[in-house]
């Protein structure tokens, strides 16, 4: 299913918004609580339309995130393309699930992405690895039902 | 099921495997290239210029908040702040007056000693744009870039002390690694007696660790650590941190010393970026410092850990020997 122009616009705007939210300055203590906005948004669009949004989107936005965050180039690109990849792999399953089940699966997907992120960190520089990085995945999962409903509504209204 | 009128339950999607492989290979290639090739700095800088609108957008809410705070601040508050600033100005200008005579005297004395001249270091001011949104590192983006003459490696200060150094630049802004980042180390000396050490970031915003301190070293709580200038990156004498804890563990070869950065890493919004001085760096930074102190005090050269450990144990042995002789 190809996108209508409005939906394409919504897709890009929402991904850009997610990128902004991802790099929005926060107090140091709250940083660990920041959900993976870009990951969430990518998973959503991969589920809605795996034909038009996929791994390459993840790569491009990941690269932008790398530059914005000052991470090694390719770090977030890899993590986010992996997230999108999982989204595209699982889209049939996720579509069939209820919102709650979807949320749990999203936690798993984001958690795996975070795990890879931590591996890359420990390969490319000293970073303390503890389990607190999974918090953002859990919060992402908790946000999923709202995000999903909101975006579905927006999309329907735009295409109606 | 299966009739052509009914939408199939499982539509056939694209096969993302190859794309994933391609992206993974590309990512690793990028990471590798950035580690190895210096031209990647330029690539990164141009990409950073591309995404700088996002950075600007992201900094808008904070700017709006501070603007709002300014607009809605009551007059009493502003008057108080104004008075405080006036007092500070008076205070500082009286100190500057003393500085002027002291610095001419210093220049005269240095001439007598045949030591190299120290000149005023040029600087530009800059403002905080964003803090890096990465909970595992301490970096920030400031609003000056290559257009303003910022280069990689320049030291960044706030009103109180050393904040960090520039690690990447784009046309209009640059990224600063703070001294509290776990991957940052700065050669320091104790202001009181000139003992030289390395201060490494701890990953906590209010702490740096002083590495390889021999148990016998004369370092106390409250000592001010200033840059020693030995890395040829920071000029000498910038305040870095104040020692908060010295712990002697009998089972360990070195004392554990932690210090608190004097710069307000969490609070400052205005920074100075020091420009490279025109005078030959080797002359300015090192020439006058090495022969002022007895050799025993050199504890940790900026080198691999092993060598600094050896040097420190040597220093310790020398100190022990000196103690026995007395």
């Amino acid at each position: 299913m190809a996108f209508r122009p409005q939906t394409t616009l919504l897709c890009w705007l929402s991904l850009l918004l997610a990128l902004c939210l991802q790099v929005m300055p926060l107090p140091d203590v709250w940083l660990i609580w920041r959900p993976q906005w870009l990951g969430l948004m990518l998973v959503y669009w991969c589920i809605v339309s795996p034909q038009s949004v996929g791994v390459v989107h993840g790569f491009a936005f990941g690269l932008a995130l790398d530059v914005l965050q000052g991470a090694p180039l390719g770090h977030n690109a890899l993590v986010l393309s992996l997230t999108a990849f999982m989204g595209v792999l699982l889209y049939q399953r996720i579509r069939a699930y209820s919102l709650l089940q979807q949320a749990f699966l999203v936690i798993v997907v984001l958690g795996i992405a975070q795990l890879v992120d931590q591996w890359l960190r420990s390969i490319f520089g000293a970073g303390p690895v503890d389990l607190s990085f999974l918090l953002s995945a859990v919060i992402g999962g908790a946000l999923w039902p709202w995000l999903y409903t909101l975006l579905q509504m927006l999309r329907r209204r735009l295409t109606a | 099921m299966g009739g052509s009128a009914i939408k199939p339950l499982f539509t056939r999607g694209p096969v993302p495997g190859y794309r994933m492989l391609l992206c993974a290979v590309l990512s690793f290639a990028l990471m590798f290239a950035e580690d190895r090739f210096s031209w990647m700095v330029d690539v990164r800088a141009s990409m950073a210029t591309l995404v700088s609108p996002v950075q600007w957008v992201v900094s808008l809410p904070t700017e709006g908040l501070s603007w709002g705070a300014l607009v809605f601040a009551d007059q009493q508050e502003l008057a108080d702040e104004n008075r405080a600033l006036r007092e500070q100005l008076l205070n500082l200008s009286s100190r500057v007056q003393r500085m002027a005579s002291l610095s001419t005297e210093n220049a005269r004395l240095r001439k007598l000693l045949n030591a190299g001249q120290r000149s005023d270091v040029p600087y530009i001011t800059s403002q905080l744009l964003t803090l890096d949104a990465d909970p595992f590192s301490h970096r920030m983006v400031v609003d000056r870039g290559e257009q303003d003459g910022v280069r990689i490696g320049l030291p960044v200060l706030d009103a109180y002390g050393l904040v960090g150094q520039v690690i990447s630049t784009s046309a209009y802004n640059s990224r600063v690694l703070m001294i509290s980042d776990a991957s940052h180390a700065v050669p320091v000396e104790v202001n009181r007696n000139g003992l030289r050490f390395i201060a490494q970031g701890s990953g906590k915003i209010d702490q740096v660790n002083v590495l390889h301190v021999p148990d016998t070293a004369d370092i106390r709580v409250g000592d001010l650590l200033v840059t020693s200038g030995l890395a040829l990156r920071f000029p000498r004498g910038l305040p870095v941190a104040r020692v908060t804890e010295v712990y002697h563990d009998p089972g360990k070869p070195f004392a554990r010393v932690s210090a608190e950065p004097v710069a307000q890493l969490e609070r400052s919004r205005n920074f100075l970026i020091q420009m490279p001085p025109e005078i030959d760096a080797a002359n300015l930074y090192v020439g006058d410092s090495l022969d002022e102190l007895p050799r025993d005090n050199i504890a940790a050269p900026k080198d691999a850990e092993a060598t600094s450990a050896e040097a420190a144990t040597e220093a310790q042995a020398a100190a022990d020997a000196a103690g026995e002789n007395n």
Side-chain angles (χ1 to χ4, degrees):
Chain A
M1 127 184 92
F3 272 167
R4 298 191 194 188
Q6 298 103 314
T7 323
T8 316
L9 189 70
L10 179 67
C11 171
W12 280 94
L13 277 183
S14 62
L15 283 174
L16 271 177
L17 179 71
L19 182 66
C20 287
L21 284 173
Q22 191 77 63
V23 295
M24 185 69 79
L26 279 181
D28 254 12
V29 205
W30 294 2
L31 282 180
I32 199 96
W33 298 85
R34 185 204 299 275
Q36 290 295 315
W37 289 110
L38 259 179
L40 272 174
M41 212 59 100
L42 271 172
V43 170
Y44 173 80
W45 287 109
C46 287
I47 291 168
V48 166
S49 173
Q51 281 88 350
S52 355
V53 180
V55 179
V56 181
H57 283 71
F59 186 80
F61 276 91
L63 215 53
L65 188 58
D66 280 330
V67 177
L68 282 169
Q69 286 197 336
L73 276 184
H75 178 132
N76 283 306
L78 182 63
V79 172
L80 283 174
S81 42
L82 187 73
T83 314
F85 177 64
M86 288 189 280
V88 175
L89 271 191
L90 293 172
Y91 78 98
Q92 292 166 332
R93 203 171 293 198
I94 296 188
R95 274 184 193 172
Y97 281 168
S98 74
L99 267 185
L100 195 66
Q101 285 169 315
Q102 284 183 358
F104 278 110
L105 202 55
V106 165
I107 291 181
V108 173
V109 167
L110 293 181
I112 292 173
Q114 285 285 300
L115 198 64
V116 173
D117 175 66
Q118 289 291 325
W119 282 343
L120 287 175
R121 256 175 225 287
S122 50
I123 291 172
F124 285 97
V129 175
D130 58 20
L131 285 179
S132 59
F133 65 85
L134 287 176
L135 258 178
S136 70
V138 174
I139 291 177
L143 281 176
W144 174 260
W146 282 277
L147 189 83
Y148 186 80
T149 323
L150 180 75
L151 283 170
Q152 287 289 66
M153 209 177 69
L154 273 178
R155 206 164 55 87
R156 296 248 162 82
R157 197 161 290 180
L158 270 181
T159 48
Chain B
M1 283 306 231
S4 59
I6 300 172
K7 211 176 160 197
L9 185 57
F10 294 113
T11 48
R12 209 166 54 83
V15 185
Y18 289 111
R19 275 183 225 170
M20 183 63 226
L21 190 68
L22 183 73
C23 286
V25 170
L26 254 176
S27 302
F28 277 111
L30 274 173
M31 284 188 252
F32 178 79
E34 197 175 29
D35 207 37
R36 288 298 157 92
F37 306 122
S38 54
W39 48 262
M40 282 298 284
V41 173
D42 298 332
V43 175
R44 196 187 182 101
S46 47
M47 285 172 71
T49 314
L50 256 176
V51 295
S52 54
V54 177
Q55 229 149 24
W56 178 74
V57 167
V58 156
S59 72
L60 276 184
T62 344
E63 306 242 324
L65 270 185
S66 54
W67 180 80
L70 190 67
V71 167
F72 295 113
D74 66 29
Q75 201 216 347
Q76 186 61 43
E77 218 170 279
L78 287 178
D80 282 348
E81 192 186 344
N82 201 339
R83 197 170 52 235
L85 286 176
R86 266 172 210 282
E87 272 168 24
Q88 198 181 3
L89 180 67
L90 201 65
N91 210 338
L92 288 178
S93 52
S94 78
R95 278 170 72 174
V96 166
Q97 282 168 16
R98 248 183 320 144
M99 261 294 277
S101 70
L102 281 179
S103 65
T104 46
E105 186 185 345
N106 191 12
R108 253 199 325 273
L109 290 173
R110 290 181 80 83
K111 207 176 273 175
L112 279 178
L113 286 170
N114 262 338
Q117 285 282 337
R118 276 199 222 195
S119 59
D120 279 342
V121 189
Y123 61 83
I124 54 172
T125 58
S126 69
Q127 279 208 333
L128 178 66
L129 213 53
T130 63
L131 285 169
D132 263 359
D134 179 354
F136 304 101
S137 69
H138 296 161
R139 285 170 306 197
M140 61 182 178
V141 180
V142 294
D143 66 345
R144 298 285 186 163
E146 276 164 18
Q147 297 277 320
D148 310 290
V150 177
R151 295 286 173 274
I152 289 174
L154 293 184
V156 180
L157 312 166
D158 72 353
Y160 305 92
L162 183 69
V163 169
Q165 56 179 305
V166 177
I167 51 168
S168 71
T169 57
S170 68
Y172 302 107
N173 46 48
S174 49
R175 179 163 269 116
V176 175
L177 185 69
M178 296 199 219
I179 54 172
S180 60
D181 188 277
S183 66
H184 190 277
V186 48
V188 294
E189 62 185 30
V190 178
N191 197 28
R192 184 164 52 82
N193 54 17
L195 269 176
R196 284 187 281 270
F197 299 109
I198 306 279
Q200 179 159 34
S202 63
K204 292 180 211 146
I205 196 89
D206 58 349
Q207 190 186 330
V208 294
N209 297 324
V210 186
L211 302 184
H212 309 310
V213 181
D215 267 332
T216 52
D218 179 18
I219 183 168
R220 299 181 210 147
V221 172
D223 276 346
L224 181 68
L225 304 174
V226 299
T227 50
S228 65
L230 287 183
L232 296 182
R233 178 151 282 197
F234 302 105
R236 203 176 159 207
L238 304 175
V240 176
R242 205 171 274 287
V243 176
T244 50
E245 190 199 5
V246 180
Y247 178 71
H248 297 285
D249 188 339
K252 296 273 174 63
F254 298 112
R256 193 180 71 214
V257 179
S258 49
E260 185 183 6
V262 290
Q264 302 200 328
L265 300 182
E266 276 183 308
R267 273 171 279 169
S268 292
R269 296 190 68 89
N270 297 298
F271 302 98
L272 305 178
I273 302 177
Q274 281 208 349
M275 289 308 183
E278 286 84 17
I279 306 170
D280 181 26
N283 243 335
L284 184 72
Y285 299 143
V286 195
D288 56 351
S289 60
L290 271 178
D291 45 11
E292 285 173 8
L293 295 162
R295 290 289 302 175
D296 296 15
N297 284 346
I298 298 172
K302 173 99 178 153
D303 213 338
E305 278 202 0
T307 48
S308 53
E310 275 167 26
T313 33
E314 270 171 30
Q316 196 180 354
D320 289 348
E324 279 169 18
N325 288 344
N326 291 340

